[in-house]
Amino acid sequence: MTTLIASTVKIDAPAIGRRSLLRDIGIVMTRELKPVLRDPFSLLFGMIQPLFFLALFGPLLAGSMGGSLGGGVWQWFVPSILVMTTLFGTSTTGANLLFEFQTGAHERMLVTPLSRSSLLIGRALKEMVPLFGQAVIVIAVMIPFGLELHVDGVLVGLALLAVFGIGLGAFSYALAIAVRKQDWMFWMVQQTFLFPLMILSGMLLPLETGPGWMQVASKFNPLSYLVDAERTLFAGDVWSSAVLWGWLAALVTAALGLTVGIRTMLRSAD
Amino acid sequence: MISTRELTKDFVVSRTETVHAVRGISLDVEPGELVAVLGPNGAGKTTTLRMLTTLIAPTSGTAKVAGYDVTTHSSQVRRRIGYVGQGNGAGHSQRVGDELLGQGVIYGLDRRSAKRRTEELLESLELKDLAQRKVSDLSGGQRRRLDVAMGLVHAPGLLFLDEPSTGLDPQNRANLWDHILRMREQYSMTIVLTTHYLDEADSMAERVVVVDHGEVIADDTADALKRKLAGDRLHLTVGPSNQSRVRELAAQLPGAGEIQVDGDQVLVRVADGPAALPILIGAAQQNGVPVATAQVHRPTLDDVFLNLTGRSLREADSNGKAAA
């Protein structure tokens, strides 16, 4: 045993591990994905609420306004549910980091040579994976119920969700870091943002029938553009201007989220 | 290995209140030393350790760790040190083997060496059967051994342990220490640990740095501290009317210090208790004073702390502020 140790690691620090940000991000992302890969069923927990909406709200929607939506309720509602899954999944992900603050794992990683920004970026990028998994399940489940599948639109739609999810995930981590000393605040703030964002995006019910102020408010909600873009994409229209607005909203969210996230992460040791 | 000069750390609590957690610590640690930083909660032990491990920046002063300045060359310092914090280094939702392997990769080992290293550490810290377990399913003792393993993956020349055995039962504490000392032997590591367990600092460390209110108030081997700052005590039980006679006799002992009478007990502070006790008993008997019981009380580090600060470490602990 002793000889093995001597041969593997006579640590001469400058010689080992030329560090690159990409490698660090890869390490952090892999670590974050381990629990998901070890226990793929954990993905389903994140889907409980959206699936309930799909199973219980969908039929009501069909009953009350099926006629006015056109193209079938599912074609309208499944894109909503995918955005909702993204919203629920990535906005709560900061809780994992909060837990690692409490247990000490985050502190351990802060003392390693990993760069601070990789600790945020790697985590945010990981959000893509559960999001893809969940979207694929929802789509597969809904095809037998009459969801029309436009493969090109769906693929672009998933990519769009991924970019948005990275941004929202980064915001969620930033929130976790900001409230790490009063952890109950995390859920309060998350819930406070969640429902206005959700309802003012026209995700559940079309806003066209709502009061004027709601329609104005929805213009300031990035999720509105995302929901519109996803609906357009699921209808098979990849080159519409709604899709372009969706990309703009997703990219701005991702850029802002990562900027804010990295800045808070740099101060996370105090 | 470590060299600090006038290291301070202030925490601004509010606009009107600033806590001076560390007030000018100058400390040198040579390669190979095993140093315990001892003090009550809130003394500044953890804050000092967090500065030395690059977690927080000092307010003023300098600190060189493993040859590099902690503020200007923190990444060089991080590569060369191992750190076992108060919490669990391994993520609770992760598996034991995954975390160790990942830690190796973080420190730049290639996958093969990281794997080999993981197996070695699992083996030597008696965690082999737990490699596939989730960290949250481990017992407290197992988790702490895993924390130590995480800190040793890259075989650092310098290991920091922040209250390594807090919360463990005596058996697990002893077991953890067996492992730490064996690892130290194997890698010829320098170890700096904080503790508020007196017996731990006493029996494990070769050098004890006593910290109180953010300052170093004593720094020596445990034996020297006790000899210089506390001394032995003789406890004699004598008949009710003989205390004053014994007190006179005790005052003539070589190296006699403070003498107290408490009921039928006489307490005498002396430099060398085991040598002084037979002399005092002999003298008492020659003077016709029967001695009912006699014992030598060797000082503890708590006596040292008491003599230095006027408070016992236990009192200081319960009155002290939460660890900063």
Side-chain angles (χ1 to χ4, degrees):
Chain A
M1 194 168 56
T2 321
T3 53
L4 268 181
I5 290 160
S7 66
T8 47
V9 269
K10 202 70 222 130
I11 288 288
D12 181 24
I16 59 149
R18 216 164 298 123
R19 305 218 71 88
S20 81
L21 182 63
L22 279 182
R23 182 175 180 273
D24 285 359
I25 291 171
I27 292 172
V28 174
M29 190 171 160
T30 312
R31 175 173 182 271
E32 289 295 310
L33 283 174
K34 282 270 165 65
V36 183
L37 300 177
R38 294 284 192 199
D39 183 13
F41 287 104
S42 64
L43 281 183
L44 294 176
F45 287 109
M47 297 180 64
I48 288 174
Q49 271 166 309
L51 283 178
F52 270 122
F53 271 98
L54 199 60
L56 301 177
F57 198 77
L60 284 180
L61 199 64
S64 64
M65 42 184 41
S68 68
L69 293 173
V73 160
W74 297 131
Q75 218 61 36
W76 189 87
F77 198 47
V78 167
S80 305
I81 289 299
L82 295 182
V83 177
M84 189 191 278
T85 315
T86 306
L87 182 65
F88 280 35
T90 58
S91 70
T92 54
T93 193
N96 298 326
L97 178 58
L98 212 48
F99 187 51
E100 298 225 307
F101 267 107
Q102 286 155 0
T103 62
H106 182 66
E107 188 183 80
R108 183 260 302 178
M109 293 181 74
L110 288 175
V111 181
T112 67
L114 284 175
S115 79
R116 296 281 195 263
S117 41
S118 74
L119 291 174
L120 190 281
I121 302 172
R123 280 189 156 87
L125 290 181
K126 156 258 175 184
E127 295 306 319
M128 290 189 294
V129 177
L131 203 137
F132 267 123
Q134 290 167 338
V136 169
I137 297 174
V138 170
I139 294 168
V141 167
M142 292 318 292
I143 289 175
F145 291 94
L147 178 75
E148 269 178 59
L149 192 65
H150 301 276
V151 177
D152 50 349
V154 167
L155 288 178
V156 176
L158 290 183
L160 190 58
L161 279 182
V163 172
F164 185 78
I166 290 168
L168 203 58
F171 272 118
S172 181
Y173 288 122
L175 173 62
I177 298 169
V179 302
R180 66 192 178 279
K181 282 162 190 162
Q182 304 93 23
D183 51 6
W184 52 271
M185 288 262 290
F186 179 81
W187 294 109
M188 213 185 71
V189 176
Q190 189 261 350
Q191 298 285 319
T192 306
F193 277 100
L194 186 71
F195 285 99
L197 277 176
M198 189 165 81
I199 292 165
L200 289 176
S201 70
M203 190 187 290
L204 295 175
L205 292 166
L207 289 170
E208 288 78 36
T209 54
W213 67 266
M214 280 183 106
Q215 296 183 23
V216 173
S218 79
K219 296 276 179 264
F220 295 95
N221 181 0
L223 269 179
S224 314
Y225 301 95
L226 197 70
V227 171
D228 279 349
E230 292 294 337
R231 282 190 188 132
T232 312
L233 286 165
F234 271 70
D237 185 358
V238 183
W239 302 108
S240 149
S241 67
V243 176
L244 213 61
W245 281 108
W247 276 111
L248 190 66
L251 287 169
V252 168
T253 308
L256 278 178
L258 288 173
T259 310
V260 173
I262 290 170
R263 292 182 73 147
T264 43
M265 180 60 86
L266 293 178
R267 286 181 277 119
S268 68
D270 289 351
Chain B
M1 212 50 162
I2 299 176
S3 173
T4 77
R5 288 294 169 270
E6 290 300 319
L7 203 59
T8 70
K9 181 70 188 177
D10 295 342
F11 291 106
V12 179
V13 185
S14 66
R15 213 173 301 166
T16 50
E17 197 191 352
T18 301
V19 172
H20 305 287
V22 173
R23 317 168 181 240
I25 286 188
S26 300
L27 190 69
D28 288 288
V29 176
E30 297 303 319
E33 279 194 285
L34 200 177
V35 181
V37 180
L38 176 75
N41 283 332
K45 309 185 296 280
T46 294
T47 305
T48 305
L49 214 63
R50 291 174 71 83
M51 287 193 276
L52 296 180
T53 53
T54 75
L55 277 168
I56 53 176
T59 304
S60 69
T62 58
K64 266 192 167 181
V65 172
Y68 291 88
D69 188 285
V70 290
T71 349
T72 57
H73 291 82
S74 53
S75 63
Q76 295 294 341
V77 173
R78 284 181 198 141
R79 289 175 187 207
R80 289 170 173 78
I81 61 170
Y83 171 65
V84 178
Q86 284 183 20
N88 292 130
H92 281 208
S93 53
Q94 302 277 348
R95 298 209 186 173
V96 172
D98 289 345
E99 279 291 71
L100 276 173
L101 191 76
Q103 181 82 339
V105 175
I106 287 174
Y107 279 100
L109 303 184
D110 61 75
R111 286 200 72 80
R112 243 185 67 232
S113 342
K115 212 168 167 157
R116 210 155 60 169
R117 199 63 196 123
T118 300
E119 274 155 27
E120 285 164 15
L121 284 166
L122 286 173
E123 174 89 49
S124 55
L125 284 158
E126 293 175 61
L127 294 164
K128 207 172 183 184
D129 300 334
L130 306 173
Q132 296 302 315
R133 285 279 188 90
K134 258 177 81 173
V135 174
S136 55
D137 294 340
L138 302 185
S139 74
Q142 292 166 339
R143 228 178 272 165
R144 215 53 189 137
R145 291 208 300 278
L146 176 59
D147 292 337
V148 172
M150 298 282 289
L152 291 173
V153 166
H154 53 304
L158 172 60
L159 181 68
F160 290 96
L161 299 157
D162 198 359
E163 309 210 338
S165 60
T166 298
L168 296 184
D169 59 51
Q171 200 186 339
N172 271 314
R173 275 172 71 187
N175 176 271
L176 183 73
W177 268 107
D178 282 347
H179 287 301
I180 294 175
L181 294 178
R182 202 160 38 77
M183 295 283 139
R184 178 194 180 209
E185 199 82 344
Q186 233 170 47
Y187 306 131
S188 47
M189 270 185 305
T190 310
I191 298 185
V192 175
L193 67 112
T194 67
T195 181
H196 57 236
Y197 288 129
L198 295 154
D199 52 338
E200 193 164 275
D202 201 343
S203 56
M204 300 303 170
E206 287 146 11
R207 178 176 159 199
V208 179
V209 175
V210 186
V211 176
D212 192 33
H213 297 309
E215 283 170 308
V216 174
I217 53 173
D219 177 359
D220 213 324
T221 63
D223 281 338
L225 286 176
K226 288 187 279 194
R227 208 171 46 240
K228 282 191 268 179
L229 293 164
D232 294 354
R233 266 193 332 240
L234 306 182
H235 287 209
L236 266 70
T237 315
V238 294
S241 54
N242 295 321
Q243 293 99 329
S244 53
R245 184 78 197 104
V246 175
R247 178 194 269 270
E248 280 164 34
L249 293 169
Q252 292 159 25
L253 285 170
E258 183 197 359
I259 303 170
Q260 283 175 290
V261 176
D262 181 12
D264 54 1
Q265 296 250 327
V266 181
L267 290 87
V268 190
R269 211 173 270 287
V270 289
D272 186 353
L277 186 63
I279 301 176
L280 184 57
I281 294 174
Q285 278 171 346
Q286 267 178 15
N287 284 274
V289 177
V291 177
T293 69
Q295 55 178 306
V296 180
H297 178 80
R298 309 302 303 260
T300 63
L301 286 174
D302 198 24
D303 297 318
V304 172
F305 192 78
L306 183 70
N307 279 341
L308 282 167
T309 65
R311 323 183 320 276
S312 142
L313 242 183
R314 275 177 218 94
E315 278 169 46
D317 240 358
S318 53
N319 298 335
K321 280 176 257 163

